[in-house]
């Protein structure tokens, strides 16, 4: 089976994806914009061939690369990066070369937030109400209908990029003045102090969920970014039953196959409001945290699914995994040496974050396992304790 990996070099922790495909017996071909000499030897060893393009966002150049690999290696069976940024590119390539997987028409429901809302409603899951604006003249009407504060985010967008909190009329006026109207914006109520959490997992070739997990954030991400708060989230040890039921209904309604998913919710008292469906694994180092918490190798399980094999079931019970960071501008009471001494083999992950993620997440990322909620709380208190000046 010929499997093309888009951008096999970046992000760095996704290089394992290529390795797991190779281990499963696939003929793995890479297309990226980094020079071949920049690839680590381990990645070179996992790739049968690497085709360098000048610009991965140039669809015509990428199509020429795929055509070359098709001519040299035969029919292309899959193309995937596991990165949301390349969803549209890969969908177009699949359509052009008749490769199984999502085509452009399949992405509308996971690309546009306004379309997601329709499917959430069909699935019978409570959702945050929202409105789309294409022109500045409609914003004041939307504000009147939904009230303040609001969150404004691109109707088609990746992550929290381009997202604004409109807390008062002054912020609304500033948004209207700054918005160039090139991209439609989606507006929905900002829920104060709401806990953001997720239902995540992996779907097999038949559309069945074969693995499920989830995370929750300590603080609202917009507040963390604005005030440069200490950052952290927790991989759930067990998922709340109502959240599982909502998530399963949504996955069934969206009808995706052979994919990871990441569905975001707000906690609303004893209920949940679904916010967004992401047609990929949670970003950053979340997949690493999922692996540690659940004693699993998710890229390996994905490769098995593509190969028509059942996933391997973990033999050990799940644990909490606390994903937590330090910011360079803060002085902490306990450095990494102290953390390793304090937590021992429960500290399973430590890595410097790329500068592109530092504003939101911080600079030094740690993953620490826990068995109880009390241990989770202790981790946050200990790791985020600032040194007294």
């Amino acid at each position: 089976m010929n499997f093309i990996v888009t951008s096999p070099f970046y992000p760095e922790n996704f290089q394992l994806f290529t390795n797991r495909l190779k281990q499963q017996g696939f003929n793995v071909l890479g297309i990226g914009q980094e020079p071949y000499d920049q690839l680590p030897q381990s990645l070179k060893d996992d790739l049968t061939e690497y085709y360098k393009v000048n610009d991965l966002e140039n669809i015509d150049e990428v199509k020429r690369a795929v055509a070359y690999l098709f001519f040299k290696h035969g029919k292309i069976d899959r193309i995937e990066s596991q990165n949301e940024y390349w969803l549209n590119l890969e969908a177009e390539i699949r359509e052009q070369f008749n490769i199984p997987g999502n085509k452009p028409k399949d992405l509308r429901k996971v690309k546009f937030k306004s379309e997601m809302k329709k499917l959430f409603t069909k699935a019978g899951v409570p959702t945050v109400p929202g409105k789309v604006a294409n022109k500045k003249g409609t914003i004041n009407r939307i504000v009147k209908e939904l009230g303040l504060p609001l969150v404004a985010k691109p109707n088609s967008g990746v992550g929290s990029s381009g997202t604004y909190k409109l807390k008062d009329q002054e912020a609304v006026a500033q948004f209207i003045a700054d918005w160039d109207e090139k991209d439609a914006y989606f507006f929905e109520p900002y829920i104060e102090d709401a806990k953001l959490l997720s239902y995540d997992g992996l779907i097999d070739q038949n559309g069945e969920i074969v693995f499920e997990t989830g995370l929750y954030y300590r603080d609202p991400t917009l507040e963390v970014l604005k005030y440069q708060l200490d950052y952290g989230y927790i991989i759930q040890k067990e998922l709340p039953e109502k959240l599982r039921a909502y998530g399963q209904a949504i996955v069934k309604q969206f009808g995706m196959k052979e994919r990871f998913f990441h569905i975001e919710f707000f906690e609303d008292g004893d209920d949940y409001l679904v916010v967004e469906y992401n047609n990929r694994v949670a970003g950053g180092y979340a997949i690493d945290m999922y692996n540690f918490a659940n004693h699993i190798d998710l890229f390996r399980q994905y490769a098995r699914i593509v190969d028509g094999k059942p996933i391997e079931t973990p033999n050990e019970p799940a644990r909490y995994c606390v994903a937590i960071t330090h910011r360079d501008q803060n002085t902490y009471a306990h450095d990494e040496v102290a953390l390793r001494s304090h937590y021992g083999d429960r500290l399973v992950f430590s890595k410097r974050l790329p500068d592109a993620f530092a504003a939101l997440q911080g600079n030094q990322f740690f993953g620490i396992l826990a068995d109880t909620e009390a241990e989770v709380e202790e981790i946050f208190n200990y790791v985020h304790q600032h040194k007294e000046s």
Side-chain angles (χ1 to χ4, degrees), residues 56-226:
L56 263 179
E57 298 191 47
N58 184 327
I59 183 67
D60 291 329
E61 189 178 8
V62 176
K63 285 180 179 179
R64 287 193 294 271
V66 175
Y68 168 82
L69 295 172
F70 185 102
F71 175 78
K72 186 172 180 180
H73 297 275
K75 179 178 178 292
I76 303 301
D77 298 283
R78 297 290 191 279
I79 181 169
E80 182 60 62
S81 62
Q82 304 298 351
N83 190 329
E84 185 173 36
Y85 194 83
W86 304 117
L87 282 177
N88 293 331
L89 171 72
E90 291 163 346
E92 290 192 44
I93 294 296
R94 293 189 193 104
E95 186 165 74
Q96 174 84 25
F97 293 90
N98 195 28
I99 301 170
N102 290 163
K103 309 298 195 298
K105 63 179 175 59
D106 302 314
L107 293 186
R108 183 173 180 82
K109 58 190 173 186
V110 295
K111 181 179 177 182
F112 295 103
K113 296 171 178 63
S114 53
E115 294 298 316
M116 294 179 196
K117 298 289 184 181
K118 298 175 185 177
L119 292 182
F120 295 152
T121 300
K122 284 186 179 180
V125 178
T127 187
V128 181
K131 299 282 184 179
V132 179
N134 294 288
K135 297 293 181 183
K136 295 182 179 184
T138 62
I139 292 179
N140 285 322
R141 174 178 56 80
I142 291 173
V143 170
K144 186 175 181 180
E145 289 182 26
L146 298 178
L148 292 173
L150 290 174
V151 172
K153 48 191 174 182
N155 191 34
S156 172
V158 177
S160 58
S161 177
T163 299
Y164 301 89
K165 179 184 177 182
L166 309 180
K167 61 180 181 179
D168 51 33
Q169 287 295 339
E170 182 179 351
V172 173
Q174 187 63 54
F175 177 84
I176 292 173
D178 294 342
W179 183 33
D180 59 13
E181 297 183 330
K182 288 182 179 178
D183 299 304
Y185 257 76
F186 191 79
F187 297 81
E188 59 189 17
Y190 180 86
I191 303 177
E192 296 284 358
D193 301 321
K195 184 166 81 173
L196 181 66
L197 65 167
S198 72
Y199 175 73
D200 303 346
L202 179 59
I203 310 166
D204 68 11
Q205 293 179 338
N206 300 313
E208 299 296 326
I209 299 169
V210 293
F211 172 79
E212 59 184 3
T213 185
L215 60 82
Y216 63 93
Y217 289 92
R218 285 279 284 198
D219 298 290
T221 54
L222 288 179
E223 305 300 313
V224 171
L225 182 60
K226 181 176 180 179

Side-chain angles (χ1 to χ4, degrees), residues 335-356:
D335 61 11
E336 182 170 349
V337 173
L339 296 182
R340 290 193 177 280
S341 175
H342 185 70
Y343 292 111
D345 59 7
R346 288 170 55 200
L347 199 163
V348 291
F349 190 89
S350 175
K351 192 154 301 244
R352 186 78 179 173
L353 278 157
D355 290 343

Side-chain angles (χ1 to χ4, degrees), residues 268-285:
D268 184 32
D270 60 356
D271 206 354
Y272 304 96
L273 299 172
V274 62
V275 180
E276 192 169 321
Y277 185 106
N278 295 280
N279 198 35
R280 43 81 180 174
V281 71
Y285 295 128

Side-chain angles (χ1 to χ4, degrees), residues 197-203 209-217 233-236 239 243-244 246-248 251 259-265 276-283 286-287 289-290 294 298:
L197 65 167
S198 72
Y199 175 73
D200 303 346
L202 179 59
I203 310 166
I209 299 169
V210 293
F211 172 79
E212 59 184 3
T213 185
L215 60 82
Y216 63 93
Y217 289 92
Y233 60 83
I234 303 97
I235 308 303
Q236 301 260 41
L239 292 171
L243 183 71
R244 289 182 70 244
Y246 283 167
Q248 290 168 1
V251 169
R259 293 205 66 83
F260 288 102
F261 61 87
H262 171 60
I263 309 173
E264 297 173 344
F265 292 82
E276 192 169 321
Y277 185 106
N278 295 280
N279 198 35
R280 43 81 180 174
V281 71
I287 191 166
M289 301 302 102
Y290 288 153
N294 294 281
L298 285 171

